């Protein structure tokens, strides 16, 4: 018998067993994922990646190496990079939190490239539907009608020797998707070499296991875990409901690094550069209006989204094949860009937040077209809490 505390696990394992079998049979009629079609499950990925001495590179990781791996024009405080570098070297996995569009994923990829190179890390996006099938793996039917174990994203990363970057990790039900991996995420060092974490699966009659090794070189383990392997997750702190699902057991295995918006002067310089091809007379007022929306609005908006809005304005003001621009007035294009790209970040926000955003635009652009303003107000009302 199982204790009442284990009821959820009991229910999932037995009550839903028939449902899972039905789903597995349906999967048999679909093509296998690309990485399974191209190779046997127990073989390393043939993606052109090369083995790197990530332990040595991680030990010597510097802020300068990460900065060199960032895209040109990307702005982030040096202190943030220094904190991330130090945490990685100290043996921690990372959670990069911050407003939408603040560059969390960009920073995460730069950290990976600085240690393991451009092709030795994997990127995926978490969803609310994730279970251990997505992270660890599970059985799928073969053409012959048998069941074969297929590794999930974490085991594939270990098998291929890749660091793993999970975008929007707080969208997943953490305990449900990562619970069996908590021991793995605790990390290990050379003293842990030889330890095995046996998973409740078999592959060709052998138990599926994660094995702690001092080095991947010469290891016969299918899923080796070294002390220099890292998981980096990003989370959107604007999504409070999902954020609070992160359990303490999960969080204590990570260093949580805040990735804030750029300082106001830096943000203004970025916007000015991105709007360089906008109509000259509109550049400054549009830059200031967009800066106010991103930095002073109820929902902080990162430069990635602001850059998309700036590109929208530039493109909307450029001549089309007919010789005329898509929008006659650049400020009207700005209102449309905000409606299409910024308003989705106000999903579920209280109505007062939408009104505050419109008030900022009214102050920055008092001559904004009435129809464009009305469309923006309507869009904000549609996504606001009812």
């Amino acid at each position: 018998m199982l204790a009442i505390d284990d009821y959820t696990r009991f229910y999932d394992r037995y009550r839903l067993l028939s449902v899972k079998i039905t789903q597995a049979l349906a999967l048999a009629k679909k093509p296998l994922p690309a990485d399974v079609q191209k190779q046997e499950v127990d073989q390393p990925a043939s993606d052109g990646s090369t083995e790197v001495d990530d332990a040595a590179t991680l030990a010597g990781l510097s802020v300068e190496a990460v900065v060199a791996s960032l895209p040109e024009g990307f702005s982030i405080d040096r202190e943030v990079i220094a904190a991330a570098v130090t945490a990685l070297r100290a043996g921690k996995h990372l959670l990069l939190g911050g407003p939408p569009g603040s560059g969390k994923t960009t920073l995460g990829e730069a950290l990976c490239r600085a240690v393991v190179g451009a092709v030795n890390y994997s990127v995926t996006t978490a969803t609310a539907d994730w279970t251990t099938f997505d992270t660890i793996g599970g059985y799928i039917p073969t053409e012959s009608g048998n069941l074969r174990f297929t590794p999930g994203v974490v085991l594939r990363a270990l098998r291929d020797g890749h660091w793993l970057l999970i975008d929007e990790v707080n969208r997943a039900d953490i305990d449900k998707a990562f619970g069996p991996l908590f021991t793995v995420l605790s990390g290990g060092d050379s003293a842990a070499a030889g330890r095995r974490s046996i998973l409740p699966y078999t592959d060709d009659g052998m138990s599926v296991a994660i094995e702690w090794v001092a080095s991947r070189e010469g290891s016969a383990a299918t899923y080796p875990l070294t002390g220099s392997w890292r998981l980096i997750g990003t989370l959107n702190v604007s999504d409070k409901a999902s954020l609070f699902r992160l359990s303490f057991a999960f969080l204590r295995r990570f260093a949580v690094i805040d990735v804030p918006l750029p300082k106001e002067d830096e943000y203004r310089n970025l916007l000015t550069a991105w709007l360089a091809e906008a109509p000259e007379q509109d550049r400054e007022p549009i830059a200031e209006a967009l800066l106010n929306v991103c930095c002073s609005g109820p929902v902080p908006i990162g430069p990635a989204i602001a850059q998309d809005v700036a590109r929208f304005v530039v493109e909307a003001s450029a001549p089309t094949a007919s010789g005329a621009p898509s929008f006659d007035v650049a400020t009207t294009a700005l209102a449309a860009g905000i409606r299409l790209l910024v308003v989705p970040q106000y999903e579920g926000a209280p109505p007062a937040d939408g009104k505050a955003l419109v008030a900022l635009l009214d102050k920055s652009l008092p001559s904004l077209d009435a129809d464009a303003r009305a469309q923006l107000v309507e869009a904000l009302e549609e996504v606001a809490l009812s």
Side-chain angles (χ1 to χ4, degrees):
M1 297 182 65
L2 293 175
I4 191 65
D5 292 342
D6 291 328
Y7 175 75
T8 301
R9 179 163 58 88
F10 171 86
Y11 183 87
D12 183 62
R13 184 177 298 173
Y14 296 101
R15 175 65 179 84
L16 299 182
L17 181 60
S18 61
V19 176
K20 292 183 177 180
I21 292 175
T22 301
Q23 293 172 339
L25 292 175
L27 281 173
K29 301 178 181 179
K30 300 180 180 180
L32 292 175
D35 66 330
V36 178
Q37 287 179 331
K38 293 180 181 178
Q39 61 191 48
E40 292 297 324
V41 172
D42 58 352
Q43 294 297 318
S46 54
D47 59 359
S49 62
T50 56
E51 290 288 339
V52 295
D53 188 355
D54 51 339
T57 309
L58 179 58
L61 180 62
S62 65
V63 174
E64 289 71 21
V66 178
V67 171
S69 297
L70 291 170
E72 184 177 356
F74 185 84
S75 177
I76 188 169
D77 286 344
R78 183 180 178 87
E79 291 79 6
V80 173
I81 300 176
V85 165
T86 303
L88 288 174
R89 293 177 56 179
K92 302 298 291 184
H93 301 289
L94 291 185
L95 284 178
L96 303 176
S102 60
K104 302 179 291 295
T105 304
T106 302
L107 175 58
E109 291 197 74
L111 289 164
C112 291
R113 286 193 296 269
V115 179
V116 297
V119 296
N120 288 293
Y121 68 94
S122 301
V123 183
T124 189
T125 302
T127 72
D129 298 325
W130 266 22
T131 65
T132 53
F133 185 90
D134 301 278
T135 56
I136 296 175
Y139 296 113
I140 65 171
T142 63
E143 293 181 358
S144 62
N146 297 319
L147 293 177
R148 181 178 67 180
F149 177 77
T150 299
V153 294
V154 175
L155 289 196
R156 289 201 300 271
L158 295 177
R159 178 196 65 194
D160 300 338
H162 287 187
W163 278 23
L164 181 61
L165 174 59
I166 301 180
D167 213 11
E168 304 289 351
V169 68
N170 57 327
R171 292 191 179 278
D173 186 332
I174 295 300
D175 288 339
K176 183 167 104 176
F178 288 88
L181 292 171
F182 281 2
T183 300
V184 174
L185 294 176
S186 295
D189 50 28
S190 57
R195 197 171 77 205
R196 303 177 80 219
S197 178
I198 307 296
L199 301 173
Y201 305 97
T202 59
D203 190 11
D204 288 336
M206 302 292 291
S207 294
V208 175
I210 298 173
E211 301 185 36
W212 277 256
V213 297
S215 171
R216 285 179 56 85
E217 186 176 356
S219 172
T222 304
Y223 306 108
L225 174 65
T226 67
S228 55
W229 182 79
R230 295 290 183 271
L231 186 153
I232 300 176
T234 73
L235 52 88
N236 185 350
V237 296
S238 297
D239 191 354
K240 295 294 194 301
S242 291
L243 176 62
F244 289 167
R245 288 210 305 266
L246 296 179
S247 67
F248 288 114
F250 182 80
L251 284 173
R252 77 174 184 82
R253 288 159 168 82
F254 290 80
V256 182
I257 308 293
D258 181 41
V259 184
L261 299 181
K263 294 181 174 64
E264 187 171 313
D265 288 343
E266 294 176 356
Y267 213 146
R268 181 181 288 105
N269 292 337
L270 289 172
L271 291 171
T272 301
W274 294 333
L275 291 165
E277 297 180 23
E280 185 176 358
Q281 69 277 9
D282 295 316
R283 290 174 197 163
E284 186 174 343
I286 287 179
E288 286 300 318
L290 190 50
L291 181 67
N292 288 335
V293 166
C294 296
C295 292
S296 303
V299 176
I301 301 296
I305 297 175
Q307 185 178 28
D308 289 340
V309 176
R311 286 173 176 167
F312 183 91
V313 172
V314 170
E315 186 63 30
S317 304
T320 61
S322 65
S326 303
F327 286 79
D328 294 329
V329 181
T331 54
T332 303
L334 172 64
I338 292 173
R339 175 167 53 85
L340 297 174
L341 301 166
V342 174
V343 168
Q345 302 302 325
Y346 280 73
E347 181 79 39
D353 285 358
K355 293 178 181 178
L357 177 64
V358 174
L360 280 173
L361 273 183
D362 288 340
K363 181 179 179 180
S364 304
L365 301 172
S367 60
L368 181 63
D369 178 77
D371 289 339
R373 182 185 183 281
Q375 291 176 12
L376 179 59
V377 170
E378 182 180 357
L380 286 165
E381 290 175 347
E382 288 178 353
V383 301
L385 283 171
S386 57

